[in-house]
């Protein structure tokens, strides 16, 4: 009993650390999403978000190598981690990222004409090294459940970001370059800090690359498919911005990016919970079944459905304090229900795929989703390219992806997810209707309707959760 209590206490501290880190990340997100755009203006903010968008894609440069490590070593503790191999993995990763960055910079210098975009793309290429080295060590934290190191570094990164941007604003600097330069310096500092903290898997004897070449190949084989899946949500939300960057103006890119950044505030929490849950799921692969998939999905749907009410708060802030970005409100309203779909995919489905090592199925399902999204954007470009149409296409693509993913687990576990999708459709339809009302009335009516739906569809689950919480309080 004492050991269980001790373990629970340790896990609780890890969870608190991750959630506190998420809160700081959300504060940083609010700062970047609401204060910076007002200060920089539409055009400069557009360039700033263009950098941020492509920075979010630099993980593709390791081609799944780090994801393969996460899957293959996800059940290890730090003490029994094969450190000689990890030292080789680290230097191999560093070498390949430097090579890729140099090649990209050379190509960008030769083939990019727009000077602002050339600067942004080159800065993104440089950040490939910093970000992916930090990602390598953050995955080591995830594997070995050293969540507090990950949480502290994430908090430090966000605090430094807020601090230095505040300094730039205080100095009256409105050029986007200084803001992306500061972010690059912070990324460098965080990667250095991680390297120092995990110096025992950097410095010391390492295995010859020829002895571990088969493991490196295995990391790529497994990790590439996981990488595709991990980035699929970002890619589905990102393909449209690539087309907008190519075919629409920088101002329109700014409006759309502003809307997506508002969703990012909620997705920050979703991703943090997903990172926290994976090692626990991976350690209990044999216990993953239909009941657990349905339970986790139901909880995610409930929490995410209530979180949609934050849209009305955001709408109030934008209309009253960010008048230049009111065109983004309708885009935000269309994209906001993606929160429900993304939470079930990222927290439940992705973790089940990885834990059960269903890599090929994972990849195949995500390729289908990618193809649908790409096709919808191509149709929009050649028919009626506009921010409204791009946002509708993205929402529909995301929902098709969610249906396809659920259908896979329906066949895998022989479970019926029809109830979930009826609830989601009713909830999203109610949300769209309520966005046409005033902030206060819209939020109140939406919460009321969702609560009615919850009582109709998930009354037993809600009762069980409340009883479990009540028992936990009594035992303390």
């Amino acid at each position: 009993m004492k050991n269980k209590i001790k373990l629970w206490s340790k896990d609780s501290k890890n969870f608190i650390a991750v959630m506190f880190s998420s809160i700081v990340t959300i504060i940083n997100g609010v700062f970047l999403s609401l204060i910076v755009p007002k200060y920089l203006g539409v055009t400069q903010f557009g360039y700033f978000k263009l950098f941020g968008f492509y920075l979010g894609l630099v993980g593709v440069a390791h081609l799944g190598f780090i994801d393969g490590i996460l899957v293959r070593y996800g059940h290890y503790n730090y003490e029994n981690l094969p450190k000689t191999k990890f030292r080789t993995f680290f230097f191999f990763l560093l070498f390949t990222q430097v090579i890729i960055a140099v090649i990209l910079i050379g190509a960008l210098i030769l083939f990019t004409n727009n000077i602002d975009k050339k600067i942004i793309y080159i800065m993104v290429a440089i950040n490939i090294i910093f970000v992916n080295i930090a990602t390598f060590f953050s995955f080591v934290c995830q594997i070995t459940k050293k969540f507090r190191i990950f949480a502290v570094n994430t908090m430090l990164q966000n605090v430094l970001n807020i601090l230095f941007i505040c300094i730039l604003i205080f100095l009256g600097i409105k050029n986007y370059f200084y803001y992306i330069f500061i972010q690059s310096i912070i990324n460098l500092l965080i990667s250095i800090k991680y390297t120092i903290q995990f110096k025992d898997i950097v410095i010391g004897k390492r295995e010859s690359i020829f002895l571990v070449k088969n493991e490196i190949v295995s990391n790529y084989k497994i990790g590439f498919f996981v990488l595709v899946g991990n980035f699929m949500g970002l890619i589905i939300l990102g393909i449209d911005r690539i087309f907008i960057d190519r075919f629409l103006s920088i101002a329109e890119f700014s409006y759309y990016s502003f809307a997506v950044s508002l969703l990012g505030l909620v997705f920050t929490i979703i991703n943090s919970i997903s990172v926290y849950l994976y090692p626990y799921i991976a350690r209990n692969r044999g216990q993953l079944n239909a009941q657990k998939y349905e339970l986790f999905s139901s909880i995610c749907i409930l929490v995410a459905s209530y979180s949609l009410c934050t849209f009305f708060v955001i709408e109030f802030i934008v209309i009253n304090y960010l008048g230049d970005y009111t065109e983004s409100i309708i885009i935000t309203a269309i994209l906001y229900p993606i929160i429900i779909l993304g939470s079930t995919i990222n927290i439940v489905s992705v973790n089940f795929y990885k834990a059960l090592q269903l890599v090929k199925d994972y990849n195949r399902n995500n390729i289908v989703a990618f193809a649908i999204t790409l096709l919808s954007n191509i149709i929009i470009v050649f028919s009626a390219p506009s921010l409204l149409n791009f946002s509708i296409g993205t929402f529909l693509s995301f929902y098709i992806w969610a249906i396809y993913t659920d259908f896979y687990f329906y066949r895998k576990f022989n479970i019926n997810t029809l109830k979930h999708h009826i609830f989601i459709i009713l909830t999203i339809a109610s949300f769209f209707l309520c966005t046409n009302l005033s902030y206060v009335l819209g939020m109140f009516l939406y919460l009321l309707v969702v609560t009615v739906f919850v009582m109709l569809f998930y009354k037993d689950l809600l009762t069980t959760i409340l009883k479990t919480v009540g028992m936990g309080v009594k035992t303390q």
Side-chain angles (χ1 to χ4, degrees):
M1 179 64 72
K2 289 182 179 180
N3 290 335
K4 288 183 179 180
I5 294 173
K6 184 178 180 181
L7 178 62
W8 182 89
S9 177
K10 181 180 178 181
D11 291 344
S12 297
K13 288 179 181 178
N14 282 333
F15 182 74
I16 291 170
V18 171
M19 293 311 298
F20 189 73
S21 170
S22 299
I23 292 171
V24 177
T25 303
I26 291 171
I27 294 172
N28 179 59
V30 170
F31 184 75
L32 294 178
S33 300
L34 300 179
I35 297 176
V36 173
K38 183 175 180 62
Y39 180 74
L40 288 183
V42 173
T43 301
Q44 292 297 313
F45 180 69
Y47 286 125
F48 175 68
K49 292 304 293 183
L50 188 65
F51 169 78
F53 167 62
Y54 285 110
L55 184 66
L57 298 177
V58 298
V60 175
H62 65 74
L63 301 177
F65 178 72
I66 308 175
D67 295 281
I69 293 173
L70 176 64
V71 173
R72 296 182 67 240
Y73 294 91
H75 58 287
Y76 277 74
N77 294 317
Y78 192 74
E79 292 71 24
N80 59 10
L81 205 66
K83 295 182 176 60
T84 55
K85 286 183 183 179
F86 269 70
R87 290 171 194 142
T88 304
F89 291 160
F90 169 79
F91 282 101
F92 175 79
L93 176 68
L94 178 61
F95 175 76
T96 56
Q97 298 311 287
V98 170
I99 294 297
I100 291 172
V102 169
I103 292 172
L104 280 176
I105 290 170
L108 291 166
I109 291 173
L110 292 174
F111 300 111
T112 306
N113 296 321
N114 184 297
I115 186 64
D116 289 306
K117 291 187 177 181
K118 179 181 289 189
I119 291 171
I120 289 168
Y121 297 155
I122 289 174
M123 292 299 289
V124 170
I126 293 171
N127 274 271
I128 286 174
I129 304 167
F130 310 150
V131 172
N132 286 337
I133 290 300
T135 301
F136 172 79
F137 290 117
S138 71
F139 276 26
V140 171
C141 292
Q142 190 176 345
I143 290 168
T144 59
K145 296 166 64 176
K146 289 183 174 291
F147 291 110
R148 274 177 278 184
I149 292 177
F150 169 75
V152 169
N153 287 342
T154 302
M155 283 188 284
L156 178 63
Q157 184 175 20
N158 289 314
V159 169
L160 288 175
N161 196 45
I162 294 172
L163 176 63
F164 283 114
I165 288 180
C166 282
I167 292 173
L168 291 176
I169 292 175
F170 178 76
L171 294 174
I173 297 173
K174 293 189 176 184
N175 188 298
Y176 74 88
F177 173 76
Y178 297 97
Y179 291 81
I180 67 176
F181 180 77
I182 283 296
Q183 282 201 329
S184 302
I185 294 297
I186 293 171
N187 288 338
L188 171 62
L189 293 175
I190 294 300
S191 65
I192 292 173
K193 187 173 185 294
Y194 266 124
T195 304
I196 294 171
Q197 288 176 308
F198 289 99
K199 59 182 180 295
D200 55 335
I201 57 175
V202 175
I203 301 171
K205 182 180 178 181
R206 59 181 184 269
E207 293 189 22
S208 168
I209 193 169
F210 298 104
L211 294 177
V212 297
K213 64 180 180 180
N214 290 334
E215 295 213 31
I216 290 174
V217 172
S218 294
N219 290 340
Y220 277 119
K221 283 183 176 179
I222 295 174
F224 178 76
F225 301 122
V226 177
L227 173 74
V228 172
N230 286 342
F231 273 86
M232 192 52 62
L234 187 60
I235 290 170
I236 290 177
L237 274 173
I239 289 179
D240 46 7
R241 276 178 284 174
I242 294 174
F243 281 100
I244 291 169
D245 175 32
R246 177 68 179 83
F247 295 102
L248 301 181
S249 68
I250 189 65
E252 289 171 303
F253 183 89
S254 181
Y255 293 135
Y256 197 87
S257 296
F258 177 76
V260 172
S261 68
L262 298 177
L263 269 73
L265 300 178
V266 181
F267 272 116
T268 298
I269 299 177
I270 292 172
N271 292 333
S272 298
I273 295 173
S274 180
V275 167
Y276 177 80
L277 282 180
Y278 175 70
Y280 297 97
I281 292 176
R283 284 166 166 78
N284 296 279
R285 288 172 181 164
Q287 300 176 20
L288 298 181
N289 52 36
Q291 289 74 23
K292 288 194 174 181
Y293 182 85
E294 191 169 6
L295 174 64
F296 290 151
S297 296
S298 299
I299 293 173
C300 285
I301 290 170
L302 292 183
V303 174
S305 296
Y306 278 106
S307 71
L308 292 192
C309 70
T310 57
F311 166 81
F312 300 98
V313 178
I314 290 172
E315 183 184 21
F316 172 80
I317 294 172
V318 172
I319 290 177
N320 289 279
Y321 299 101
L322 293 164
D324 291 341
Y325 295 89
T326 52
E327 290 186 36
S328 299
I329 291 176
I330 188 171
I331 302 167
T332 306
I334 294 169
L335 296 177
Y336 220 66
I338 288 176
I339 291 170
I340 301 177
L341 310 173
S343 64
T344 56
I345 292 171
N346 291 339
I347 295 178
V348 184
S349 301
V350 170
N351 278 324
F352 268 67
Y353 273 124
K354 290 192 292 185
L356 295 172
Q357 297 192 354
L358 302 168
V359 178
K360 291 183 179 179
D361 294 339
Y362 187 34
N363 183 60
R364 183 174 58 250
N365 293 355
N366 288 322
I367 286 175
V368 172
F370 173 77
I372 292 169
T373 307
L374 182 62
L375 180 62
S376 67
N377 279 276
I378 291 174
I379 292 172
I380 291 168
V381 165
F382 286 100
S383 58
S386 69
L387 294 183
L388 180 63
N389 289 337
F390 277 118
S391 58
I392 293 172
T394 299
F395 168 74
L396 292 176
S397 299
F398 224 103
Y399 193 72
I400 292 170
W401 181 31
I403 293 174
Y404 192 83
T405 302
D406 264 354
F407 182 69
Y408 169 81
F409 283 104
Y410 161 75
R411 290 180 298 169
K412 182 74 178 177
F413 291 133
N414 193 28
I415 55 175
N416 189 356
T417 59
L418 179 62
K419 181 180 76 171
H420 295 325
H421 286 282
I422 293 175
F423 175 85
I424 290 171
I425 290 171
L426 291 174
T427 299
I428 291 175
S430 301
F431 172 78
F432 285 148
L433 290 173
C434 290
T435 57
N436 295 307
L437 304 174
S438 65
Y439 328 118
V440 177
L441 181 59
M443 178 185 285
F444 174 77
L445 187 59
Y446 174 74
L447 288 173
L448 179 63
V449 171
V450 169
T451 300
V452 171
F453 289 155
V454 168
M455 296 306 295
L456 289 174
F457 287 86
Y458 298 106
K459 183 178 179 181
D460 293 339
L461 173 64
L462 194 61
T463 303
T464 302
I465 293 173
L466 292 174
K467 284 183 179 179
T468 304
V469 173
M471 290 175 62
V473 171
K474 288 179 181 180
T475 55
Q476 294 180 13

